[in-house]
Amino acid sequence: MNKYLAKLTEWHKQGFITPQQLQQILDYESAQPSSPSIIRGFIFLGVCVTAMGMISLIAANWMEIPDILKLLCDFLVLSFIAVEAMRYYSHPQPLRYDALLLGFLLLVMASIGLIAQIYHTYGKFYFAILFWSAMTLPIIFSARHRLNTFIWVGLTLGALMCWVVTPDRGFLTRVPQDIVLLGSLMITTLGCVGLGQFLARWECSRIFAEGFKIWAPYYGLLVVLLVDNGFQAKSILSDFYNSPFGSIYLIIAGLTLFGIYTQEKFSDGQKYLLMLMIVVFSLLPLISLSPINLRFTSALCTIVLFMFAALYYGSRDRIDWFNFFIVLIGLRFFMVYLQVIGSLATTGVGLVISGLVLIALTSFWAKNRNQLQLWVKRRLQ
Amino acid sequence: MTTQFSRPWLILGFIIPILCLTLLTLNHHWQRMHGTTVTLPVKGYDPRNLLAGHYVIYRVDYGMVVSCITPQRAVMCLNHNKDNKWQGALLKEGVDPTLTRCAAFIKGTCNANLFTADIERFYIPERFAAQLDKAVRGDQGQVVLKVSPSGKAVVTDLLIEGRSWRDYVSS
């Protein structure tokens, strides 16, 4: 309330609101029940302390507790959370169900660890996560909050990536490590885009689709940054389409392009923009074949992809991502500028000019970002 | 508003993970109860922090020199030697262990002259770490395994000087 009071007083002084309106707002706000966030915070703290105490007790007496009792307790808690979650599924506040679902998901993972500890088994951690993903796949469709699907998709994709890029990856041992890394990242990016679009077609999997949609720009960004600056020998990457990854990628790209083309929720402008972005993205491994300077091609591809991403998010009213990609474009331009003037940048004059360029770019952006976003939205919707 | 899951689907969604974990536990338990008991010496020690204490990482001594460079699936064929101790023999890739004369066999991976079968870890309480560290470093450790007819091995006990680690630390 206090944080709004100063603003209200200021608006009253400026004549934006009448004294009656000011009083009405103050009366309304003071009649509201006090924010329960503090109470919730203390309850949460109490739960955490109790849980820590229980964990400490179990840990301190770990050896004395019979294995069967440990397992029994684990399964009882797991079943209890499942029953409670089912009870709250139809509750008007979906957050309760999602909190219980998150607890269930985490406890399933902890149970895998407990069983491994009791029976002294172990394997690669990513196999444990993939086992967890497979078991919890049906129930994740019931999530109503993005956090659960975000965690599930993130962990599953991370485990799959680790499995593919691990050194003893069997049939892929002959493929260069750079191509394995690039291939798995590119397939994951496009897989996220494709599955995000595909699953969003049904209401029951809409929240699940959100999980993929959230991860897509992160993986895409990683690919662009790696190709732009990460890989030492970019010429190796041109073999990408001769590797098994290339064929898989092309199939996924084809399906994703078809999915976007037939997506009714997109305007024509958004469709073509996304499709163009996928085409440029697919050309990234081939940048070393460019007849012009490799550094220039690399920077050009990065800026073009960031620009497409900014335009797409701008047209979808995702201001946060729109701003983020515009800032990245600015930074990449600044890097190009530093590359062009080379060692001159370290001289006094060079530093002054660089600083002024940075200030000018930032000021331009700060003044025009709202108009720019509106313009993008109007053009593409 | 999202689509509501029907009650049976929701129940099924929650039951599947619990059922899978139960089956996993029963499978491990069955293996522990059945299968051939194999005792093999262990070497090396690497304590790691864990919520409930530490675990020991060791190398199982199969009584032979393992030779492989690139990662590959492998099978360790086990038989008793003249001293009535278990002796391993690494079977080549593709050889069916059920057709060879093996009293027991363990399926695993061979890489960098090392055969591993996900049995190279044993969980111990933190307070006994130093004591067991000293014992295992002195090559006094052995692991007791239960090996299933399909070649899956599980660790059931860690022996120090021929005694279970629990007896060893309490004496």
Side-chain angles (χ1 to χ4, degrees):
Chain A
M1 183 63 192
N2 285 338
K3 66 180 175 181
Y4 297 118
L5 198 59
K7 281 274 177 197
L8 286 169
T9 317
E10 178 64 28
W11 292 342
H12 176 237
K13 276 182 190 169
Q14 294 293 329
F16 301 146
I17 52 173
T18 61
Q20 287 82 9
Q21 283 172 326
L22 175 66
Q23 198 52 50
Q24 276 175 335
I25 294 169
L26 290 175
D27 290 345
Y28 173 77
E29 285 298 329
S30 56
Q32 295 299 310
S34 61
S35 171
S37 56
I38 296 171
I39 298 165
R40 274 203 300 248
F42 275 112
I43 289 171
F44 182 71
L45 189 68
V47 171
C48 286
V49 169
T50 313
M52 278 169 66
M54 283 166 73
I55 290 169
S56 303
L57 276 171
I58 294 166
N61 301 290
W62 191 250
M63 196 184 151
E64 282 73 31
I65 302 169
D67 289 346
I68 191 76
L69 191 64
K70 288 175 201 166
L71 286 167
L72 206 64
C73 286
D74 179 62
F75 279 103
L76 274 174
V77 174
L78 206 58
S79 307
F80 175 74
I81 294 179
V83 169
E84 278 298 290
M86 281 188 271
R87 205 160 67 86
Y88 278 105
Y89 183 65
S90 304
H91 198 272
Q93 275 204 332
L95 204 64
R96 290 186 185 189
Y97 172 75
D98 277 286
L100 286 163
L101 179 62
L102 181 63
F104 181 78
L105 293 175
L106 295 176
L107 199 62
V108 168
M109 197 176 284
S111 303
I112 297 172
L114 178 73
I115 294 165
Q117 195 171 13
I118 285 173
Y119 291 99
H120 304 282
T121 59
Y122 82 99
K124 303 278 188 292
F125 75 95
Y126 43 81
F127 284 137
I129 295 173
L130 289 174
F131 179 51
W132 170 84
S133 307
M135 282 191 294
T136 54
L137 177 65
I139 201 63
I140 202 70
F141 278 89
S142 69
R144 279 106 165 255
H145 199 279
R146 288 176 190 173
L147 180 69
N148 283 327
T149 54
F150 177 74
I151 291 171
W152 191 93
V153 171
L155 284 172
T156 308
L157 292 178
L160 277 171
M161 289 275 303
C162 288
W163 176 53
V164 174
V165 301
T166 197
D168 57 344
R169 57 191 184 279
F171 72 100
L172 287 172
T173 42
R174 288 176 191 168
V175 182
Q177 192 67 29
D178 281 358
I179 288 186
V180 172
L181 182 63
L182 179 73
S184 48
L185 281 170
M186 284 184 73
I187 288 170
T188 308
T189 307
L190 229 56
C192 282
V193 175
L195 278 170
Q197 301 306 327
F198 180 71
L199 293 167
R201 288 167 188 248
W202 296 282
E203 195 57 36
C204 64
S205 54
R206 200 176 53 77
I207 297 291
F208 190 41
E210 289 290 317
F212 288 98
K213 283 183 188 173
I214 295 168
W215 280 105
Y218 290 109
Y219 278 103
L221 196 60
L222 204 58
V223 171
V224 174
L225 293 177
L226 271 174
V227 173
D228 197 6
N229 291 303
F231 295 118
Q232 291 298 314
K234 289 188 175 67
S235 55
I236 296 173
L237 303 181
S238 58
D239 284 337
F240 173 74
Y241 286 106
N242 294 326
S243 72
F245 286 101
S247 313
I248 298 168
Y249 177 80
L250 286 174
I251 293 167
I252 294 174
L255 289 170
T256 309
L257 286 172
F258 178 74
I260 292 167
Y261 187 72
T262 54
Q263 179 64 265
E264 288 170 0
K265 285 179 184 172
F266 291 148
S267 67
D268 282 348
Q270 287 168 342
K271 276 183 195 174
Y272 295 129
L273 187 68
L274 261 179
M275 287 161 84
L276 204 58
M277 191 161 34
I278 289 172
V279 171
V280 178
F281 185 76
S282 306
L283 292 173
L284 281 178
L286 306 175
I287 57 164
S288 64
L289 304 176
S290 163
I292 46 174
N293 183 287
L294 184 61
R295 269 187 173 183
F296 176 76
T297 316
S298 180
L300 185 70
C301 283
T302 303
I303 290 167
V304 165
L305 278 168
F306 286 169
M307 197 177 72
F308 284 160
L311 289 172
Y312 170 73
Y313 283 114
S315 72
R316 303 281 296 173
D317 259 343
R318 294 295 305 272
I319 310 296
D320 46 352
W321 279 106
F322 173 75
N323 285 338
F324 176 69
F325 278 107
I326 293 288
V327 169
L328 284 183
I329 293 169
L331 284 173
R332 192 63 187 93
F333 264 119
F334 193 63
M335 274 174 68
V336 171
Y337 160 79
L338 290 176
Q339 282 169 346
V340 170
I341 70 162
S343 57
L344 277 174
T346 55
T347 63
V349 177
L351 283 171
V352 169
I353 295 169
S354 306
L356 289 174
V357 168
L358 198 60
I359 292 166
L361 279 172
T362 314
S363 306
F364 176 79
W365 167 237
K367 277 183 187 170
N368 298 295
R369 60 180 174 180
N370 290 337
Q371 288 95 314
L372 194 64
Q373 198 262 326
L374 274 173
W375 180 80
V376 168
K377 200 177 158 184
R378 279 196 208 112
R379 299 288 293 180
L380 289 167
Q381 274 190 341
Chain B
M1 187 66 193
T2 53
T3 311
Q4 288 272 325
F5 261 46
S6 64
R7 204 76 184 164
W9 279 112
L10 193 69
I11 293 169
L12 194 70
F14 278 108
I15 280 180
I16 287 171
I18 299 174
L19 195 69
C20 287
L21 290 169
T22 311
L23 288 175
L24 183 73
T25 311
L26 289 176
N27 179 43
H28 284 311
H29 200 72
W30 189 88
Q31 257 190 302
R32 207 184 242 199
M33 294 294 114
H34 301 84
T36 313
T37 307
V38 175
T39 306
L40 290 164
V42 292
K43 287 176 178 174
Y45 177 75
D46 185 8
R48 306 283 167 97
N49 274 318
L50 212 72
L51 179 70
H54 281 202
Y55 55 81
V56 181
I57 292 181
Y58 44 76
R59 288 182 179 189
V60 180
D61 185 1
Y62 293 96
M64 62 163 295
V65 178
V66 178
S67 178
C68 58
I69 300 160
T70 52
Q72 53 189 271
R73 289 177 190 279
V75 175
M76 185 63 75
C77 177
L78 297 164
N79 280 305
H80 287 287
N81 63 12
K82 290 172 193 170
D83 305 325
N84 205 28
K85 285 180 180 172
W86 287 99
Q87 171 84 41
L90 199 67
L91 296 183
K92 284 179 186 173
E93 207 170 4
V95 176
D96 187 352
T98 54
L99 299 176
T100 52
R101 287 184 179 179
C102 305
F105 65 90
I106 301 171
K107 285 180 182 172
T109 314
C110 196
N111 187 20
N113 299 328
L114 192 68
F115 177 81
T116 52
D118 292 349
I119 50 167
E120 293 78 17
R121 179 181 291 191
F122 192 87
Y123 292 92
I124 51 164
E126 192 175 358
R127 60 189 150 141
F128 302 122
Q131 202 179 349
L132 290 171
D133 170 30
K134 202 177 166 185
V136 180
R137 266 182 211 275
D139 290 346
Q140 297 164 315
Q142 287 174 302
V143 280
V144 182
L145 309 172
K146 282 282 184 184
V147 184
S148 74
S150 62
K152 174 78 184 149
V154 288
V155 187
T156 55
D157 204 359
L158 175 72
L159 305 182
I160 307 292
E161 294 174 351
R163 288 177 290 166
S164 173
W165 70 273
R166 286 172 193 269
D167 298 335
Y168 178 79
V169 294
S170 59
S171 63

